Amino acid sequence: VDNVLLETGENAWQPQDYLPDFAEEGWEAELKEFRKMAAGIPDDVLVVLIGDMVTEEALPTYQTLLNTFEGCDDPIGTTDSAWARWSRGWT
């Protein structure tokens, strides 16, 4: 699973990597350009994209929560239960 679903190091990315960085100078121009590019995207698609971004950002939190449930717990990442394997693959 790790070789198929997960990227690490330089290949790793998060959805927010494609958004303007409000800590950098020039973010206003980037935001205007972003809004211009997104102008034709229907609202329902934007809602899905935003929901996906929030979900992707929270995956480590989900993994931590799942790891607290009996039967899904995987303290060192090697538990062989179906739930532990699923949790590692999903997150």
Side-chain angles (χ1 to χ4, degrees):
V1 170
D2 291 346
N3 295 330
V4 176
L5 300 178
L6 305 176
E7 292 288 349
T8 58
E10 294 299 319
N11 293 328
W13 64 275
Q14 292 295 322
Q16 87 273 2
D17 293 344
Y18 296 95
L19 298 175
D21 184 349
F22 297 126
E24 298 291 326
E25 286 189 38
W27 65 265
E28 297 96 338
E30 288 183 35
L31 183 58
K32 286 179 184 176
E33 182 62 26
F34 184 83
R35 287 180 173 168
K36 191 185 317 180
M37 291 186 303
I41 299 175
D43 288 345
D44 51 348
V45 173
L46 284 174
V47 168
V48 169
L49 291 172
I50 291 167
D52 182 56
M53 186 181 316
V54 170
T55 303
E56 290 290 328
E57 291 294 318
L59 283 177
T61 304
Y62 300 150
Q63 170 68 30
T64 301
L65 176 65
L66 288 170
N67 217 1
T68 65
F69 299 138
E70 185 177 344
C72 191
D73 55 325
D74 190 16
I76 60 171
T78 59
T79 303
D80 197 36
S81 75
W83 278 113
R85 289 193 321 268
W86 175 82
S87 175
R88 284 194 306 270
W90 180 68
T91 56

